Amino acid sequence: MTDAQVAAIYDLVKFAPTAMNTQPLRILLVRAGEPRERLLKHMADGNRDKTANAPLVAVLAADTDFHDHLPRTFPHFPGARDAFADDAAREQAAKFNATLQIGYFLLGVRAAGLAAGPMGGFDAEGLDREFFEGRDLKSLLVVNLGKPAENAWFDRLPRLDHADVFV
Amino acid sequence: MTDAQVAAIYDLVKFAPTAMNTQPLRILLVRAGEPRERLLKHMADGNRDKTANAPLVAVLAADTDFHDHLPRTFPHFPGARDAFADDAAREQAAKFNATLQIGYFLLGVRAAGLAAGPMGGFDAEGLDREFFEGRDLKSLLVVNLGKPAENAWFDRLPRLDHADVFV
């Protein structure tokens, strides 16, 4: 897994929509060695071994300072940056729109024929302190990336029926 | 836009991942007439006309009672339902995973050659009272659905550079 592969996947999915083109998703790629060791400390026990062994790991985070880009990314509305002046509302918007982008990203990884193993089991605050000191980034998901191994899959679990989903 | 089209799109995207196979996304399809009028009351001014004129509108919501399905959808872990006993943590998990599924859904609509116009500007609490009384559903996004009209598009807005996204 090269940085160029992940960048190409991002270029596939970056056109999918976010509110007011906010694009708050940020991606930290964690390779083997010292950075991976620092990451493992914050992973839940059940996720540690597979995170240690993944060819590449992406930490997907929301940038709560996304609004600084709006004068360039939403130029027809000069008030866009100030519309996000409230810290709590801005953090909520950052997390919601970054999570949409995580959905796009996971499909992009799989569309490229690669494996994406998303993990929610980690200490988000610890991870943010470890990697994002001094930046307003909030970790949302950690994803193992690589080529799928033979017999790497569990059986598919049941999906809900339409009657459960369409209300 | 028929219900069958939306169901087929859901069947495309339902296999994408959620934490512990929780699948908390719920979809309310709102057709023209009295249901649409009830929806319009809760839309922000700038979204009202296009919502009135869309062939079909989907309200995408998180089911905070998703854990009741886990004995069937995550059967190898009997403690799965009880792992979500805490209301606040369960609501957060419902919203995060439903938002991932919204990302999948929006790409599914567009992959089917249809137009998806997502809107965050609405009164979520009012909408929940209007349509979801007595159910623990939280509206996250309203999406106009239909066939794209000629010249329906704005110019594409700028996307962030890799140097902004990869931290």
Side-chain angles (χ1 to χ4, degrees):
Chain A
M1 286 291 305
T2 64
D3 289 7
Q5 279 177 296
V6 183
I9 288 164
Y10 185 77
D11 282 339
L12 269 182
V13 301
K14 71 183 180 187
F15 297 115
T18 54
M20 289 176 67
N21 199 29
T22 42
Q23 309 172 66
L25 179 66
R26 301 293 176 264
I27 302 172
L28 172 71
L29 297 177
V30 184
R31 301 210 158 270
E34 185 261 348
R36 189 73 59 88
E37 294 300 319
R38 288 169 57 204
L39 173 61
L40 293 181
K41 289 188 295 182
H42 305 284
M43 300 304 295
D45 289 344
N47 290 328
R48 199 165 289 131
D49 281 355
K50 54 188 174 183
T51 306
N53 293 318
L56 187 59
V57 182
V59 174
L60 304 180
D63 185 352
T64 62
D65 280 340
F66 66 85
H67 60 322
D68 288 337
H69 294 287
L70 290 174
R72 180 163 63 89
T73 55
F74 209 67
H76 54 288
F77 176 33
R81 190 188 179 286
D82 292 344
F84 289 102
D86 180 76
D87 286 348
R90 193 172 70 251
E91 180 169 330
Q92 189 181 16
K95 289 180 172 176
F96 179 76
N97 286 285
T99 304
L100 289 180
Q101 289 185 285
I102 291 173
Y104 309 146
F105 180 80
L106 294 174
L107 291 196
V109 171
R110 293 181 175 184
L114 298 166
M119 298 171 292
F122 59 91
D123 171 9
E125 289 183 15
L127 202 158
D128 292 347
R129 276 195 305 272
E130 184 78 41
F131 288 105
F132 303 139
E133 191 69 52
R135 291 200 58 173
D136 286 325
L137 301 184
K138 307 285 184 192
S139 299
L140 298 174
L141 200 70
V142 180
V143 185
N144 291 332
L145 300 170
K147 290 186 187 158
E150 258 188 271
N151 303 315
W153 313 110
F154 291 107
D155 288 341
R156 178 168 272 164
L157 289 163
R159 294 312 194 252
L160 295 178
D161 302 324
H162 290 167
D164 296 318
V165 172
F166 290 92
V167 296
Chain B
M1 286 291 305
T2 65
D3 288 7
Q5 280 177 297
V6 183
I9 289 163
Y10 185 77
D11 282 338
L12 270 181
V13 300
K14 70 182 178 187
F15 296 114
T18 53
M20 291 175 66
N21 200 28
T22 42
Q23 308 172 66
L25 179 66
R26 302 293 175 264
I27 302 172
L28 173 71
L29 298 178
V30 184
R31 301 208 159 270
E34 185 260 348
R36 189 73 60 88
E37 293 301 320
R38 288 168 57 203
L39 173 61
L40 293 180
K41 288 186 298 184
H42 305 286
M43 300 304 296
D45 289 345
N47 290 328
R48 201 166 287 131
D49 282 355
K50 54 188 174 184
T51 306
N53 292 319
L56 187 58
V57 182
V59 175
L60 304 180
D63 185 352
T64 62
D65 281 339
F66 67 84
H67 61 321
D68 288 337
H69 294 287
L70 290 175
R72 181 163 62 90
T73 55
F74 209 66
H76 54 290
F77 176 32
R81 190 187 180 285
D82 292 344
F84 290 103
D86 180 76
D87 286 348
R90 194 172 69 250
E91 179 168 331
Q92 190 181 13
K95 289 181 172 176
F96 179 75
N97 287 285
T99 304
L100 289 180
Q101 290 185 285
I102 291 174
Y104 309 145
F105 180 80
L106 294 173
L107 291 196
V109 171
R110 293 180 177 184
L114 298 166
M119 298 172 292
F122 60 91
D123 171 8
E125 289 183 16
L127 202 158
D128 292 347
R129 276 194 304 271
E130 185 79 40
F131 288 105
F132 303 138
E133 191 71 50
R135 291 200 57 173
D136 286 325
L137 301 183
K138 307 284 184 192
S139 300
L140 297 175
L141 200 69
V142 180
V143 184
N144 291 333
L145 301 170
K147 290 185 187 158
E150 259 188 272
N151 303 315
W153 312 110
F154 292 106
D155 288 340
R156 178 167 272 164
L157 289 163
R159 294 312 194 254
L160 296 178
D161 301 324
H162 290 169
D164 296 318
V165 172
F166 291 91
V167 295

